[in-house]
Amino acid sequence: MPSGRHDEEMSPARFAKEQEIIRLTQQLLTSITSGDYVTYSQLTDPRLTCFEPEAKGNLVEGMEFHKFYFDNLYSPNQRNGPVNTTILSPHVHILGEDAACIAYVRLRQKILPNGQPLTIQSEETRVWAKKNGHWVNIHFHRSSSVSS
């Protein structure tokens, strides 16, 4: 069981769905680091809920909270150089035909103005649901970031 899976063999359809959830998660994270709110809003449910460090322990619902960061932090005019996001150890749970959950470690890399590299790590879980034939992120939980 090195992959964390039971002895059952994974069907090609299940494997394809897991890969799609990983791909969509990467696309969502890339939209955040590039300040692409259009793509972000296409990949998220308008009633998105989350727990994240910026919310100080509160459950946030909707897009307004996140839009603030796109307008003031993630926009190309506000960023100091490129940011790279890597998903490590993704584990996808297929919860049914129209639901899935992914847990992973997220690494964000950037170069500080003084030329020093900075890597920020967080642990994340995202719940995806298929609505109107398209996968959308309906909930996520992100841990506090740890710098190294």
Side-chain angles (χ1 to χ4, degrees):
M1 283 194 259
S3 68
R5 303 201 187 285
H6 299 289
D7 293 330
E8 64 194 50
E9 293 216 14
M10 185 182 308
S11 72
R14 183 180 186 92
F15 178 78
K17 190 177 281 188
E18 287 186 7
Q19 293 302 303
E20 182 177 17
I21 295 300
I22 293 169
R23 180 187 62 76
L24 288 168
T25 302
Q26 181 68 59
Q27 185 179 358
L28 180 73
L29 297 176
T30 299
S31 74
I32 294 168
T33 59
S34 66
D36 181 359
Y37 186 75
V38 172
T39 299
Y40 181 80
S41 62
Q42 291 170 346
L43 292 170
T44 54
D45 187 83
R47 295 188 59 214
L48 175 72
T49 56
C50 74
F51 288 106
E52 61 180 332
E54 296 84 358
K56 305 294 184 192
N58 295 288
L59 177 65
V60 172
E61 182 176 341
M63 300 295 283
E64 185 177 341
F65 185 82
H66 309 286
K67 181 82 166 84
F68 174 84
Y69 290 107
F70 275 90
D71 291 345
N72 297 288
L73 181 64
Y74 302 136
S75 70
N77 295 336
Q78 301 297 324
R79 287 185 287 128
N80 294 324
V83 177
N84 183 59
T85 299
T86 304
I87 295 175
L88 299 176
S89 306
H91 187 89
V92 178
H93 297 276
I94 301 300
L95 304 173
E97 193 62 33
D98 297 330
C101 177
I102 182 171
Y104 54 92
V105 173
R106 175 181 174 188
L107 294 181
R108 286 175 282 159
Q109 299 167 274
K110 63 183 184 175
I111 306 299
L112 298 174
N114 66 4
Q116 292 295 311
L118 175 67
T119 300
I120 301 167
Q121 175 179 316
S122 58
E123 295 77 30
E124 298 185 6
T125 302
R126 292 188 181 266
V127 179
W128 291 84
K130 197 174 255 188
K131 294 186 175 188
N132 300 317
H134 301 284
W135 287 102
V136 290
N137 184 212
I138 61 170
H139 177 78
F140 73 91
H141 189 125
R142 181 168 47 88
S143 68
S144 296
S145 297
V146 177
S147 298
S148 57

